[in-house]
Amino acid sequence: MKGFFILFMCSVFVSSEIYSQNILNVRSLSMGNTSASSSYELDAFNQNPANILNQRLNKKSAVYFNILTNAGVLTSSNFLSLNFYNNYFGEVNNGQGRALTEDDKQTILRDASDQPSRIFVSARLLSFVLNTKKSGSYGISIDERFSEKIKVSRDFLNVGLFGNLINSTYNLSGSENNTYWVRQINLTYANSLSFKNNKTFDELAFGVSVKPQLGLYYLNTRSNDLMVTTNNFNQIQGSGSAEFLYSGLTNDNNFKYSLDNAGFGVGFDAGINARIKNVSRNGYLNLGLSITDIGFIKWDKNTANYFYDGNFLITDITNRAQLDSLKDKIKATKTSVTSFTTTLPTTVRFGASYKFTSSASKSSLKKEIATIAVDYVQGFNEDLGGSKKPSGGIGGEYNITDVILSRIGFGFGGLQDFAVSLGLGINAGPVIFDIGTYNVESIFKPKGTTKFSAGLNIKFKIN
């Protein structure tokens, strides 16, 4: 059983080092994750569909697109960093594996026990927005999303580090592994209404999205109440069980990249963005509201239940035959199951933004100077990497020149509690670059941060 625990721990430290949580567009990420009223064109996908028709003032274009030039990664952990991995699991100077001291093991046990590590990775394969003068804006995007949550209980980690000590009881029930990989197609339409005689609203944009969901991989801990007890008579007794629900492209619980899918579903987004009238001659106030990812995925390929029976008794750990029978015992029993359905991570976003403009008398001559935005985000379930913990953000963008834009933001709540974000935009004619991070430690202490994030976006426009 110790070998099984060590193998599980190795998979945790190898996979959790790189990824986590939720990132969908780089500009919003670097402005405290604000997007409900302040996002533009391609960046509005999955945030507020009404905003795909939103463009920079007096920089209108008929087409925006990108191909394989938008990706981001976010990790969230209370202990896991590149330094943590290198210090305890990396190679030493002679290329040999590192031998853990007793102090090392105690430090790992103290810092890593019962601490969830979350991973979120997104890559946009394609996105496209077409703006028309009469019928509104049309958009499509194809995204890959990978999310993983891993938690190892203190007793689970204790066994992996120190082995089965006599006269001890190990509660392994706190350990879990939930992993999802989904390919999403987003079909969005947006339009706007102008109000000449309305005293409150100057313009109201609305948008809807239909999003086919192609599931590639699903692994979820259904239950775990494993217990192990040892005594001073060379006996080990186990109780309880662990179950995992799986669906994927392979029959052996392995990852595979393919155009095929193991599950299919559909999601819906809806949103509005209203411009408030007569707030200021030198700026615009917008209020945005959206609800995203209302829907489901039905998994029906290679669906299986993996069952680990923890009920066993070893009366003599020196008996080879009993130890061999234990190895067979802890192997998973795989049982095919019927199709099952999971919900999408439904989220509501509400935000306000104020755009400062130059004081030109005609709107066609005005330029954007800066933007301030605030958002509140509330999730309603934890499926497919979602979170029910609310979050908020405040962010700003300042146009240093017509080409270079600086961004800063602060995030509160959610999976990272507090974060300072930073980013940079470059509007180089038909090419727009965005680079940013949700946590500035990712720039200044990339090896030491436990909450790494980074995003890069390159998009193109055609007038």
Side-chain angles (χ1 to χ4, degrees):
M1 177 166 281
K2 179 180 177 182
F4 170 74
F5 293 147
I6 293 176
L7 179 61
F8 182 87
M9 281 303 304
C10 288
S11 69
V12 168
F13 285 115
V14 170
S15 62
S16 297
E17 176 200 351
I18 308 175
Y19 315 100
S20 187
Q21 199 193 349
N22 278 334
I23 168 178
L24 293 170
N25 85 74
V26 180
R27 178 176 179 268
S28 297
L29 183 80
S30 57
M31 294 174 61
N33 204 23
T34 55
S35 62
S37 65
S38 59
S39 52
Y40 293 120
E41 12 84 13
L42 303 179
D43 297 335
F45 285 118
N46 306 305
Q47 307 292 298
N48 186 345
N51 290 348
I52 69 164
L53 55 72
N54 194 15
Q55 302 184 61
R56 292 191 174 277
L57 191 61
N58 298 321
K59 292 185 179 294
K60 306 293 185 179
S61 296
V63 173
Y64 290 86
F65 71 95
N66 64 17
I67 302 175
L68 299 174
T69 54
N70 187 334
V73 56
L74 202 79
T75 71
S76 178
S77 172
N78 289 330
F79 73 95
L80 197 55
S81 67
L82 187 59
N83 281 341
F84 183 94
Y85 180 84
N86 288 334
N87 289 341
Y88 301 113
F89 300 95
E91 295 181 348
V92 293
N93 293 334
N94 59 8
Q96 299 298 315
R98 188 179 301 275
L100 296 177
T101 66
E102 290 300 307
D103 288 342
D104 291 338
K105 295 178 181 179
Q106 291 293 344
T107 300
I108 296 171
L109 186 65
R110 181 195 66 212
D111 293 345
S113 298
D114 300 313
Q115 300 294 331
S117 293
R118 292 179 173 88
I119 299 165
F120 190 88
V121 182
S122 70
R124 180 156 290 170
L125 306 180
L126 165 72
S127 64
F128 179 89
V129 168
L130 171 66
N131 297 307
T132 68
K133 294 182 179 180
K134 294 183 178 180
S135 60
S137 298
Y138 302 84
I140 182 173
S141 71
I142 303 175
D143 300 308
E144 300 274 354
R145 298 183 183 183
F146 177 87
S147 176
E148 184 174 28
K149 176 186 175 183
I150 298 176
K151 185 173 72 171
V152 182
S153 69
R154 181 179 180 86
D155 286 354
F156 203 129
L157 190 54
N158 200 355
V159 174
L161 292 171
F162 297 101
N164 302 319
L165 304 180
I166 63 172
N167 293 323
S168 299
T169 298
Y170 299 97
N171 183 352
L172 312 180
S173 61
S175 301
E176 61 177 306
N177 183 353
N178 303 314
T179 305
Y180 323 103
W181 181 7
V182 176
R183 179 177 299 132
Q184 173 186 272
I185 302 172
N186 188 321
L187 305 171
T188 298
Y189 172 75
N191 210 333
S192 62
L193 302 173
S194 297
F195 302 97
K196 293 183 179 180
N197 299 321
N198 191 291
K199 296 181 180 181
T200 304
F201 299 115
D202 184 41
E203 185 179 82
L204 177 67
F206 62 91
V208 293
S209 299
V210 179
K211 306 194 298 186
Q213 307 285 320
L214 308 176
L216 279 74
Y217 185 92
Y218 179 94
L219 179 67
N220 187 64
T221 305
R222 302 187 71 180
S223 64
N224 179 9
D225 59 354
L226 291 171
M227 299 278 291
V228 176
T229 302
T230 64
N231 60 34
N232 57 0
F233 297 106
N234 289 332
Q235 295 178 340
I236 303 176
Q237 183 173 1
S239 63
S241 62
E243 289 186 74
F244 299 87
L245 187 61
Y246 166 75
S247 179
L249 297 177
T250 67
N251 194 41
D252 52 2
N253 194 15
N254 287 326
F255 290 106
K256 178 183 178 181
Y257 190 84
S258 171
L259 297 179
D260 199 2
N261 60 283
F264 180 80
V266 63
F268 300 93
D269 297 349
I272 57 173
N273 195 350
R275 178 177 294 177
I276 307 302
K277 210 167 193 176
N278 299 325
V279 174
S280 170
R281 292 183 178 180
N282 298 322
Y284 302 98
L285 175 64
N286 280 66
L287 300 178
L289 175 66
S290 69
I291 181 167
T292 59
D293 289 321
I294 305 171
F296 68 95
I297 298 178
K298 183 179 180 181
W299 302 84
D300 56 10
K301 180 170 289 186
N302 297 317
T303 52
N305 185 74
Y306 287 86
F307 179 80
Y308 292 86
D309 186 358
N311 293 284
F312 63 88
L313 175 63
I314 300 297
T315 59
D316 184 1
I317 61 173
T318 64
N319 187 310
R320 185 68 183 179
Q322 290 192 30
L323 292 179
D324 290 341
S325 67
L326 177 60
K327 293 179 182 179
D328 294 333
K329 186 79 171 179
I330 64 175
K331 287 182 179 179
T333 300
K334 178 182 176 182
T335 305
S336 297
V337 298
T338 59
S339 61
F340 57 90
T341 300
T342 58
T343 57
L344 300 182
T346 305
T347 304
V348 167
R349 291 175 174 84
F350 174 73
S353 60
Y354 186 82
K355 191 184 304 297
F356 296 89
T357 63
S358 61
S359 57
S361 59
K362 296 182 179 181
S363 60
S364 60
L365 299 177
K366 289 184 177 182
K367 296 181 179 181
E368 292 187 21
I369 298 175
T371 300
I372 296 178
V374 294
D375 267 31
Y376 174 80
V377 182
Q378 177 65 64
F380 290 93
N381 59 61
E382 297 184 350
D383 287 342
L384 303 180
S387 172
K388 293 190 288 187
K389 188 176 180 180
S391 65
I394 180 171
E397 179 181 66
Y398 178 70
N399 295 19
I400 300 175
T401 68
D402 286 341
V403 176
I404 301 175
L405 305 93
S406 60
R407 296 162 185 151
I408 190 171
F410 303 90
F412 310 92
L415 298 178
Q416 296 206 14
D417 294 326
F418 176 76
V420 179
S421 56
L422 202 63
L424 184 70
I426 301 176
N427 289 328
V431 184
I432 302 171
F433 299 86
D434 294 309
I435 187 170
T437 177
Y438 189 64
N439 184 1
V440 295
E441 280 192 346
S442 303
I443 301 174
F444 301 107
K445 296 194 300 182
K447 292 184 178 181
T449 181
T450 61
K451 297 176 175 62
F452 178 83
S453 75
L456 172 67
N457 180 24
I458 304 174
K459 53 189 175 183
F460 308 89
K461 62 180 182 179
I462 300 174
N463 294 329

